[in-house]
Amino acid sequence: MLRSGVMQTLTVVPELNADEKVGRMGVELGDQMEIARPGPTPTEQFTDILVSMGRMVTGLAHSKETGVSARA
């Protein structure tokens, strides 16, 4: 990391959160702290896929009412 043109080295050590059984690491640059998650968890992604597939199958099963066909 460069700061005012000088290379700075940071050492980050994860802290164990015993309640969640996960290690957390972060950097605090001011008085306010915000936890940022990189995206949906694998479980959330899997659930979204199952919901989408269920809607697709339901739409195909009711193709006369929905106007959706297998060719669409």
Side-chain angles (χ1 to χ4, degrees), residues 1-62:
M1 173 174 123
L2 284 177
R3 181 177 290 162
S4 301
V6 179
M7 180 62 76
Q8 302 288 317
T9 301
L10 301 174
T11 302
V12 180
V13 179
E15 292 182 9
L16 177 64
N17 182 323
D19 294 335
E20 296 179 18
K21 297 181 181 170
V22 295
R24 299 246 187 246
M25 62 183 169
V27 177
E28 187 174 337
L29 300 176
D31 296 335
Q32 298 177 354
M33 186 175 126
E34 179 181 334
I35 296 176
R37 304 221 182 254
T41 64
T43 304
E44 292 170 334
Q45 292 176 356
F46 186 72
T47 301
D48 289 345
I49 290 169
L50 287 179
V51 168
S52 295
M53 289 174 62
R55 289 180 179 160
M56 180 182 67
V57 170
T58 301
L60 289 172
H62 297 94

